[in-house]
Amino acid sequence: MKIFVDTANIEDIRKAYELGIVDGVTTNPTLMSKESGKSPQDIVMSIVDLVQGPVSVEVIGKTAEEMSKEARKWFAMNPDYIVIKIPMCSEGLKAMRILSEEGIPCNCTLIFSVNQGLLAAKVGAQYVSPFIGRIDDTGHDGMQLVEDLVDCLDYYEYDTEVIAASVRHPLHVTQAAQAGAHIATIPLSVIEKMIYHPLTEKGIQQFDNDWEKFIKASK
Ligand code: G3P
């Protein structure tokens, strides 16, 4: 399973990147709004320069024409790595069809049902992003959607990749992997929790102590 970092914060991305585990990045307007003081273009270009992998940038237009126009501008900034994030809606579907035909990769976001994912795949979206945590918040099982979407897209042999998004804790990542998600997009705080285990910490401490005793005794 590929790992994307779900943030627009370059320092968080750098920390994850230095671990050697980053395959790409996803942003959205909310995440971008937390990076005040920099232009959206500067934020995105610094992420692309660092990661050299797919970086999803969301359009905010309301019509297919507005979305496509915005998408082309973003894509032209780096056709190797920029992916256009488009919200699931009728105009979004039209825009994704147009952009996919132009060879511009799209990540269909705000997916909350198999039907929405199926429609996005049908118009050529390269990625679909089911929002796990937000489904869990409503008292339903977000991970079931990932499992169902993976099965459905595999069954019909779509190339569309499922990105488990709105990941809130390490168990989401484990379950996304078990469900066969192609990618999980994860905030740095969750990546850090994935590394930690109290028994690992205890084990390191014990090895250090025993080694120190051994060296002292052998002098
Ligand atoms: O990838 C989508 C993500 O940024 C949304 O996460 O936690 O706001 O539901 P959250």
Side-chain angles (χ1 to χ4, degrees):
M1 184 174 69
K2 283 177 269 185
I3 290 181
F4 289 0
V5 195
D6 193 27
T7 182
N9 183 278
I10 192 71
E11 288 318 316
D12 279 6
I13 296 166
R14 197 182 308 282
K15 282 183 196 158
Y17 182 79
E18 283 169 0
L19 297 172
I21 49 105
V22 175
D23 298 301
V25 170
T26 52
T27 68
N28 64 36
T30 303
L31 295 171
M32 294 281 277
S33 73
K34 294 180 184 164
E35 306 307 309
S36 56
K38 293 168 229 156
S39 77
Q41 290 77 9
D42 284 350
I43 295 170
V44 169
M45 287 321 289
S46 53
I47 298 172
V48 168
D49 287 346
L50 173 66
V51 171
Q52 307 275 302
V55 176
S56 290
V57 188
E58 192 154 340
V59 294
I60 45 124
K62 295 292 164 257
T63 65
E65 199 186 331
E66 286 165 359
M67 291 179 192
S68 307
K69 220 166 143 185
E70 257 178 87
R72 289 185 197 106
K73 271 195 200 157
W74 278 117
F75 185 69
M77 288 174 61
N78 191 314
D80 288 332
Y81 298 125
I82 300 275
V83 173
I84 307 301
K85 223 174 177 188
I86 306 237
M88 166 48 68
C89 56
S90 303
E91 290 301 305
L93 285 170
K94 291 183 209 167
M96 283 187 284
R97 164 68 73 199
I98 295 164
L99 295 168
S100 303
E101 279 169 4
E102 291 175 18
I104 298 179
C106 297
N107 170 358
C108 188
T109 188
L110 290 164
I111 293 283
F112 293 94
S113 71
V114 172
N115 284 344
Q116 290 181 323
L118 197 56
L119 293 172
K122 211 159 173 64
V123 295
Q126 182 161 333
Y127 306 98
V128 286
S129 292
F131 273 33
I132 312 316
R134 292 194 196 184
I135 296 177
D136 288 356
D137 289 344
T138 66
H140 292 88
D141 181 4
M143 209 49 70
Q144 189 59 52
L145 174 58
V146 173
E147 208 177 309
D148 293 345
L149 253 179
V150 167
D151 282 353
C152 183
L153 298 182
D154 273 3
Y155 183 81
Y156 289 107
E157 298 182 344
Y158 283 109
D159 292 331
T160 307
E161 292 181 88
V162 175
I163 304 181
S166 185
V167 162
R168 304 273 174 78
H169 49 71
L171 185 58
H172 273 156
V173 182
T174 306
Q175 291 172 333
Q178 287 166 336
H182 304 89
I183 300 153
T185 189
I186 317 173
L188 179 68
S189 58
V190 175
I191 293 174
E192 285 169 341
K193 286 179 191 157
M194 289 165 67
I195 299 168
Y196 178 80
H197 195 288
L199 292 180
T200 307
E201 296 303 309
K202 197 177 163 195
I204 291 171
Q205 193 58 56
Q206 190 179 344
F207 287 152
D208 283 351
N209 293 345
D210 290 345
W211 186 254
E212 209 175 310
K213 274 189 236 156
F214 166 63
I215 294 297
K216 266 187 198 155
S218 60
K219 274 182 186 164

